[in-house]
Amino acid sequence: MNFEPKLLTDKSRLQEIYKLRVSSWERSSKGATINHQLFPDGWHDELDQTANHWVIINERDEIIASARLNIFNRLEDYPYGVLATELNIHKCTPFGFYGRLVIHPQYQGLNLSAKLIAIRERYCETIYLRWRQALVTNARIKNILLRLNFECKGQIEVNYHNSTQPHLVDVFIKECHCDI
């Protein structure tokens, strides 16, 4: 089957994405911070409602992979902006934030992550976003971003649930042609 990402137009399927995140990530090294006990209704936040979501669907019409893109017109609206200020991130807008890329474990190793990153890159280029940022812990995703001219600017601590400890993520930025 040719798994090609498509933009999600049916917001009623967001719950399916939220559950995919938990079921996929609780089986990984992220299981201590993302699991069914902490997120019984799936993992989501306020950014999901305003994001563009790309999905990959299998032959049974199940979402097997997804990734989101938020577009911010003001740095003040970006929830991680305060955390990243010491990293000398760009101040120009609009900019994109890549987040929540997930692949169902049975479909990993099929290059789906690269496809989801590439489609978001093409979209950002068509709407002339000034720069992009991603918060990453996965080594494979880091390598894909580096090949696409993203640069690791440092690390910040994030916490997804008040009952867990913060953890470090790498901040990747694709440079823009604007003043910092």
Side-chain angles (χ1 to χ4, degrees):
M1 182 166 194
N2 186 15
F3 296 116
E4 290 303 320
K6 67 178 188 174
L7 188 60
L8 183 68
T9 56
D10 182 1
K11 293 283 189 179
S12 71
R13 294 195 77 175
L14 285 176
Q15 189 63 42
E16 190 177 347
I17 292 171
Y18 305 158
K19 290 182 182 223
L20 173 65
R21 291 173 184 162
V22 172
S23 66
S24 296
W25 287 333
E26 75 180 346
R27 301 176 196 174
S28 74
S29 62
K30 298 178 183 178
T33 54
I34 309 296
N35 58 61
H36 279 94
Q37 286 182 316
L38 295 175
F39 300 99
D41 298 321
W43 187 32
H44 55 90
D45 62 22
E46 69 280 355
L47 296 179
D48 281 308
Q49 293 302 315
T50 58
N52 291 306
H53 295 268
W54 279 267
V55 295
I56 298 176
I57 297 175
N58 68 11
E59 64 281 352
R60 295 182 304 278
D61 195 40
E62 299 165 327
I63 297 174
I64 58 163
S66 75
R68 76 178 184 195
L69 167 69
N70 289 87
I71 299 167
F72 293 99
N73 290 309
R74 296 174 353 121
L75 194 57
E76 298 80 23
D77 295 335
Y78 176 54
Y80 302 106
V82 172
L83 297 173
T85 53
E86 67 272 8
L87 300 178
N88 197 26
I89 63 170
H90 296 283
K91 308 247 185 316
C92 58
T93 56
F95 69 95
F97 174 56
Y98 292 179
R100 306 283 166 91
L101 190 150
V102 61
I103 310 295
H104 188 285
Q106 291 179 335
Y107 294 90
Q108 292 176 2
L110 300 175
N111 207 31
L112 303 182
S113 296
K115 287 182 177 190
L116 286 165
I117 292 169
I119 199 155
R120 289 183 293 173
E121 273 293 281
R122 285 192 301 274
Y123 182 80
C124 288
E125 290 167 6
T126 63
I127 63 169
Y128 304 104
L129 285 186
R130 308 283 304 259
W131 59 284
R132 290 89 134 150
Q133 183 181 89
L135 305 179
V136 185
T137 58
N138 181 289
R140 187 168 183 277
I141 301 303
K142 292 176 190 181
N143 288 331
I144 293 169
L145 293 173
L146 289 170
R147 285 194 309 267
L148 292 170
N149 299 317
F150 279 75
E151 178 184 352
C152 184
K153 294 289 193 175
Q155 294 183 318
I156 61 172
E157 277 191 342
V158 297
N159 195 6
Y160 301 127
H161 195 274
N162 59 11
S163 70
T164 61
Q165 294 297 312
H167 63 281
L168 289 175
V169 295
D170 290 314
V171 178
F172 278 78
I173 291 179
K174 185 162 188 176
E175 297 293 337
C176 72
H177 304 289
C178 61
D179 295 327
I180 294 178

